[in-house]
Amino acid sequence: MLRDTITAWCESGFNLVRASTALHIHRNTVVYRMNKIEQITGRPLRDHRSAMALYLACLADRLGHGIGPTGG
């Protein structure tokens, strides 16, 4: 859920309303989840470098699922 939130927020151009629309949730829920992400990571999402690092980590995790030690 938090990975989907950071992904949607970044892919929505860091726009809360567009991210909430993409996730089909209320804008305040996106704010709540982003605060939760900041608490867990200890990094402010207003720092775009932190946000992009988390976004890339989420994409890498999504791409890595299903690939075992033998490559597939």
Side-chain angles (χ1 to χ4, degrees):
M1 163 178 61
L2 296 179
R3 289 179 190 165
D4 291 341
T5 302
I6 191 73
T7 301
W9 183 62
C10 289
E11 291 177 357
S12 297
F14 307 103
N15 183 290
L16 291 173
V17 174
R18 285 189 289 216
S20 66
T21 300
L23 293 167
H24 307 287
I25 58 176
H26 193 275
R27 177 193 172 280
N28 289 347
T29 304
V30 175
V31 172
Y32 171 80
R33 290 180 183 178
M34 290 175 61
N35 287 333
K36 192 73 164 166
I37 292 166
E38 287 182 340
Q39 288 174 357
I40 292 169
T41 63
R43 294 176 168 221
L45 292 180
R46 290 173 225 48
D47 173 20
H48 291 312
R49 285 177 282 189
S50 295
M52 289 308 297
L54 287 171
Y55 173 66
L56 292 173
C58 290
L59 289 181
D61 183 62
R62 183 185 297 166
L63 292 172
H65 281 282
I67 298 175
T70 60

